[in-house]
Amino acid sequence: QVQLVESGGGLAQAGGFLRLSCVASGSITGIYTAGWYRQAPAKQRELVASITYGGTTMYVDSVKGRFTISRDNAKNTVSLQMNSLKPEDAGVYYCNCDVLSLGRLKNYWGQGTQVTVSS
């Protein structure tokens, strides 16, 4: 059984920062592509940033230059450093990972962590 647990959400002022972490636990051989998604109220969930096993990153245009996704393969951890936060960055952030476990590659979601940005 694989679980993804996010932490680090909360309330920040506009211009401030937060750091989200996602730790994968269970019978894990490796984590392949990992990403952070965001869902704002009444909006569809969108991919904010992703990172491959080798470290290639991708960002949605609205967060480029402000957010940084990183990973620690030895610790099965994926992080999202969010700087210069804007009110429109608010939402529930979900970690998503392709995990190789017990010989099978499956996609997993975390439970989400709330990010609120005050103006």
Side-chain angles (χ1 to χ4, degrees):
Q1 189 79 358
V2 173
Q3 285 190 316
L4 303 182
V5 178
E6 300 111 330
S7 61
L11 173 65
Q13 290 188 328
F17 64 92
L18 287 172
R19 183 176 179 86
L20 307 183
S21 292
C22 172
V23 179
S25 63
S27 301
I28 298 171
T29 301
I31 297 175
Y32 290 82
T33 298
W36 286 95
Y37 286 72
R38 170 174 70 200
Q39 187 162 22
K43 291 189 176 181
Q44 288 190 332
R45 192 174 298 187
E46 64 170 344
L47 178 62
V48 173
S50 67
I51 185 167
T52 66
Y53 182 84
T56 300
T57 58
M58 184 284 297
Y59 300 93
V60 68
D61 285 346
S62 61
V63 307
K64 284 180 181 177
R66 300 187 297 119
F67 289 13
T68 302
I69 188 171
S70 61
R71 63 189 295 158
D72 184 333
N73 292 332
K75 297 181 179 179
N76 292 329
T77 300
V78 181
S79 299
L80 185 68
Q81 178 69 39
M82 306 187 294
N83 297 331
S84 302
L85 282 164
K86 302 178 180 180
E88 53 263 40
D89 293 324
V92 179
Y93 282 70
Y94 297 90
C95 177
N96 179 270
C97 296
D98 291 327
V99 180
L100 181 62
S101 172
L102 302 176
R104 298 182 65 184
L105 186 65
K106 291 181 64 176
N107 185 262
Y108 293 89
W109 289 93
Q111 82 286 353
T113 185
Q114 179 72 49
V115 170
T116 304
V117 183
S118 62
S119 57

